[in-house]
Amino acid sequence: MEKQELEIILTQVCKNLTHKIQSSTPKSASDFEDLVRKELDKSLINSTIDVDFSPHPQAFPDIELGEYGVEVKYTTSDSWRSVANSVLETNRINSVKHVYLVFGKTGGEPEVKWGRYEDSVMHVRTSHVPRFEVEIGAQEPLFKKMGIPYDQFRQSEMHEKMQYIREYARGRLKRGERLWWLEDRPDQDHSLPIQARLYTKLSMEEKTRLRAECYLLFPQILKSGRTRDKYDDAVLYLLTYHGVLCHQARDLFSAGSVANPNNDKSGGLYVERALRLIEPNLIEAALTMDDVLFVEYWGQNVDPENRITEWLKKADEIATDWVPSQSLFLN
């Protein structure tokens, strides 16, 4: 099959999928991926290419079509941007030479589009390992910025890849930021961000958003105040995923402005008041945060609409002196 032929198929597949998600919203990213597989399978009925409906869960790309591959992304937000695979591409399917991106979004006007993978990668960020970010219709692909073709980049050794990533990062530094992820040793294992900001210098809106993400991902924060290390994962998450340096956990969860910004004298548990204040932010985080984060920190992927329910179950098991499900999200 020639590239042009596959791209014609992808155009029709995305058109069909757009109609489907406009009439019935997929319940999860995995459901959307199944829809993509079925639609491709129907479109390739006269081809010698078979669609695998039982792939390895960590394989990249998601769908193998001979020498072609399709990476599937899905979001409930009104955005064509998403965190993608690791720069390492450890689980890449070796037979795949050309990768395409099929992206479905249900926020705003539901729609499905496709793009060439190398044209869609527009940024690299770090979590526990450097990860690409993709965007349908990216104005300037990452590999064009770095001056290296994707195919050459993906086949390079990690220390060679990092030379390009560091140079790219230096060009993005803002005034007051410092590039401190600088080690050049190929055997060095990093999980630190390329640039860092101080939590205390963030806007109140961003502080609230990040605090909601931490409460959601790390319900162990609700443990007794005497529990050691209960904030460690949250602080490291801010550092490795957002590049935010928090000197003291108190800045995040215990400062007076967190749970009692209006000097409320009504009493009650401090953490309960703090959580009640940011219930809308917790819901927003549950609906929009990447699936990969819940797999990494909860050990399971949970559909966005079920994440608050699952969090309450975890919180009820952890909290002392109160039952979160009896006082939070009652509406």
Side-chain angles (χ1 to χ4, degrees):
M1 181 183 294
E2 297 295 326
K3 277 187 177 182
Q4 185 177 8
E5 184 180 356
L6 177 61
E7 291 176 4
I8 292 172
I9 289 173
L10 287 174
T11 299
Q12 186 60 48
V13 163
C14 289
K15 183 178 179 179
N16 295 343
L17 287 170
T18 294
H19 291 314
K20 289 189 176 183
I21 69 170
Q22 285 177 346
S23 60
S24 178
T25 302
K27 293 181 179 179
S28 65
S30 58
D31 284 348
F32 178 71
E33 185 178 322
D34 285 341
L35 283 176
V36 177
R37 289 181 191 278
K38 290 174 183 176
E39 204 61 42
L40 281 170
D41 191 52
K42 286 193 295 184
S43 300
L44 295 168
I45 192 70
N46 297 320
S47 169
T48 58
I49 297 175
D50 294 322
V51 176
D52 185 2
F53 283 87
S54 300
H56 188 284
Q58 303 300 325
F60 172 79
D62 295 311
I63 303 172
E64 177 189 1
L65 304 172
E67 67 177 295
Y68 302 104
V70 175
E71 180 72 356
V72 180
K73 290 296 171 187
Y74 173 73
T75 182
T76 56
S77 64
D78 188 11
S79 171
W80 291 110
R81 185 167 175 170
S82 175
V83 178
N85 60 298
S86 164
V87 169
L88 292 168
E89 294 194 357
T90 307
N91 297 311
R92 186 184 176 103
I93 300 171
N94 292 328
S95 60
V96 171
K97 295 182 174 62
H98 310 288
V99 181
Y100 289 86
L101 177 69
V102 169
F103 200 128
K105 73 172 184 72
T106 54
E109 181 69 21
E111 190 176 0
V112 181
K113 292 183 178 181
W114 69 269
R116 297 182 183 91
Y117 191 75
E118 62 265 32
D119 295 337
S120 303
V121 176
M122 39 69 66
H123 180 50
V124 62
R125 69 185 302 170
T126 58
S127 177
H128 283 265
V129 293
R131 301 181 74 89
F132 291 131
E133 282 191 22
V134 293
E135 183 178 31
I136 292 291
Q139 292 186 352
E140 189 176 8
L142 175 68
F143 304 105
K144 182 178 179 180
K145 296 177 189 176
M146 297 195 302
I148 181 173
Y150 166 63
D151 202 50
Q152 180 181 340
F153 180 87
R154 74 173 182 83
Q155 297 182 68
S156 301
E157 296 294 330
M158 188 57 188
H159 70 278
E160 296 172 331
K161 292 179 179 180
M162 289 310 304
Q163 291 176 4
Y164 286 97
I165 291 172
R166 289 188 193 95
E167 192 61 34
Y168 164 70
R170 289 188 183 99
R172 288 174 53 84
L173 291 178
K174 299 176 183 177
R175 184 176 180 179
E177 293 180 337
R178 297 291 183 269
L179 189 66
W180 54 288
W181 200 42
L182 288 171
E183 290 79 357
D184 289 316
R185 290 172 292 169
D187 60 339
Q188 185 72 35
D189 182 21
H190 293 288
S191 59
L192 298 179
I194 291 174
Q195 65 233 26
R197 298 173 294 156
L198 293 175
Y199 178 82
T200 53
K201 301 297 183 182
L202 303 181
S203 68
M204 186 56 65
E205 180 181 2
E206 188 168 8
K207 286 179 180 178
T208 302
R209 178 176 62 82
L210 294 179
R211 193 161 63 249
E213 290 185 12
C214 288
Y215 271 122
L216 186 66
L217 287 178
F218 310 107
Q220 63 265 32
I221 292 170
L222 275 61
K223 289 182 179 179
S224 165
R226 296 181 296 275
T227 304
R228 294 183 59 190
D229 307 329
K230 67 176 183 175
Y231 297 129
D232 287 3
D233 285 342
V235 172
L236 287 173
Y237 163 74
L238 290 179
L239 181 61
T240 59
Y241 197 80
H242 289 290
V244 170
L245 182 61
C246 185
H247 287 107
Q248 298 183 32
R250 182 182 182 279
D251 294 334
L252 269 171
F253 307 107
S254 303
S257 59
V258 171
N260 200 14
N262 299 318
N263 197 27
D264 181 12
K265 304 298 184 182
S266 60
L269 288 167
Y270 194 95
V271 68
E272 181 182 359
R273 295 203 309 271
L275 284 164
R276 193 175 293 126
L277 284 170
I278 62 169
E279 280 187 1
N281 307 92
L282 286 162
I283 293 171
E284 177 70 14
L287 292 174
T288 59
M289 290 175 71
D290 292 315
D291 294 346
V292 66
L293 292 172
F294 294 90
V295 173
E296 184 171 349
Y297 293 111
W298 282 10
Q300 63 183 125
N301 189 18
V302 179
D303 293 340
E305 63 270 21
N306 295 325
R307 287 170 182 168
I308 292 296
T309 300
E310 185 64 28
W311 180 84
L312 285 170
K313 292 178 183 177
K314 295 176 183 293
D316 283 353
E317 294 177 357
I318 291 171
T320 57
D321 302 325
W322 69 300
V323 182
S325 63
Q326 293 180 3
S327 61
L328 299 174
F329 303 104
L330 300 181
N331 296 323

